[in-house]
Amino acid sequence: SQQGEEDPQALSIQEGENATMNCSYKTSINNLQWYRQNSGRGLVHLILIRSNEREKHSGRLRVTLDTSKKSSSLLITASRAADTASYFCATDRNTGNQFYFGTGTSLTVIP
Amino acid sequence: DTEVTQTPKHLVMGMTNKKSLKCEQHMGHRAMYWYKQKAKKPPELMFVYSYEKLSINESVPSRFSPECPNSSLLNLHLHALQPEDSALYLCASSQDRLAGASSYNEQFFGPGTRLTVL
């Protein structure tokens, strides 16, 4: 399978806490992206990190990438109830337009 | 306009029906995608169009037939589907890799069509 693996599968935290989710993938990549999906809706792009970058920030989001371990993490700081959603990593290879999504983490932020 | 639209939002069809899903974007993107997503699973890539040409078919059964009539439109024609084909069908678009190896290819997703096959 081309898919990556994410863990945990599900995460439940209190509002204000930080949430960390991890993604591991199998092949060499060009970019790794994180997306959010609210229940039954389309996906929304959160952040992209290139294969030559190690860390990136966007607002309350922090993404790390370790290409030697083929893994990435997404940290959401000071979580809010509105952050409740499923989060997916997606990788694309050095050629072509294929994107492959990880298995996803379902995050619940309790008010 | 950074929106990808999909119609219909919901579709119920019998196994003998023929129907089509439609997707439209006006961002000038030359790569367009169809994904299938089952409940509590990640999106699975079905087809990729690059400059209106089918570039990737991820071994999708022939009862799904994609079409890209122009750079803004993407259709998915459905015929003789099975109940296990019931899912959320997502359309997305992005800049094409041909635009440059370093091009930023964030995907923009539509809201999806919820398909139920009876």
Side-chain angles (χ1 to χ4, degrees):
Chain A
S1 168
Q2 302 275 9
Q3 284 182 0
E5 298 279 332
E6 289 183 59
D7 78 272
Q9 283 190 321
L11 181 60
S12 183
I13 59 174
Q14 293 291 133
E15 201 165 34
E17 293 180 340
N18 295 342
T20 300
M21 48 206 90
N22 305 295
C23 167
S24 59
Y25 55 92
K26 298 176 182 177
T27 63
S28 297
I29 63 169
N30 191 46
N31 301 315
L32 186 142
Q33 303 180 46
W34 285 90
Y35 287 82
R36 185 184 77 194
Q37 184 178 34
N38 290 85
S39 181
R41 308 284 297 277
L43 283 79
V44 174
H45 180 264
L46 296 175
I47 194 166
L48 176 147
I49 187 165
R50 299 191 190 281
S51 59
N52 61 355
E53 296 177 313
R54 292 296 166 258
E55 186 171 314
K56 201 158 184 182
H57 296 255
S58 176
R60 292 184 297 114
L61 306 179
R62 172 177 169 255
V63 168
T64 62
L65 178 65
D66 186 336
T67 52
S68 67
K69 295 181 179 177
K70 291 187 168 61
S71 68
S72 173
S73 68
L74 171 68
L75 168 67
I76 304 173
T77 60
S79 63
R80 304 167 183 169
D83 295 329
T84 295
S86 292
Y87 291 82
F88 295 95
C89 64
T91 54
D92 63 333
R93 300 185 305 201
N94 288 324
T95 59
N97 287 309
Q98 300 101 304
F99 292 80
Y100 296 100
F101 284 84
T103 49
T105 293
S106 176
L107 173 66
T108 301
V109 181
I110 302 165
Chain B
D1 182 4
T2 58
E3 190 180 23
V4 176
T5 58
Q6 288 188 245
T7 55
K9 289 186 179 177
H10 300 275
L11 179 62
V12 179
M13 59 187 290
M15 289 190 285
T16 57
N17 291 158
K18 283 186 182 181
K19 296 286 184 183
S20 296
L21 309 185
K22 297 186 184 301
C23 173
E24 189 167 5
Q25 58 88 15
H26 295 286
M27 293 176 277
H29 290 163
R30 304 308 293 271
M32 295 186 76
Y33 311 78
W34 280 115
Y35 290 88
K36 173 183 176 181
Q37 187 179 27
K38 303 283 270 185
K40 300 190 186 303
K41 297 290 186 183
E44 292 178 27
L45 184 64
M46 297 175 72
F47 301 105
V48 181
Y49 272 83
S50 173
Y51 287 83
E52 294 93 72
K53 297 243 186 301
L54 182 65
S55 61
I56 294 167
N57 175 341
E58 291 280 330
S59 303
V60 179
S62 60
R63 57 185 184 269
F64 295 91
S65 175
E67 178 196 19
C68 190
N70 61 54
S71 61
S72 299
L73 294 174
L74 186 66
N75 298 322
L76 186 63
H77 303 297
L78 314 172
H79 174 54
L81 295 194
Q82 304 296 311
E84 60 265 29
D85 296 322
S86 298
L88 181 67
Y89 288 83
L90 294 162
C91 172
S93 70
S94 75
Q95 290 182 20
D96 191 277
R97 180 77 68 191
L98 290 177
S102 62
S103 66
Y104 178 66
N105 53 350
E106 168 191 350
Q107 293 182 94
F108 291 79
F109 281 83
T113 293
R114 176 73 60 188
L115 174 67
T116 302
V117 182
L118 301 176

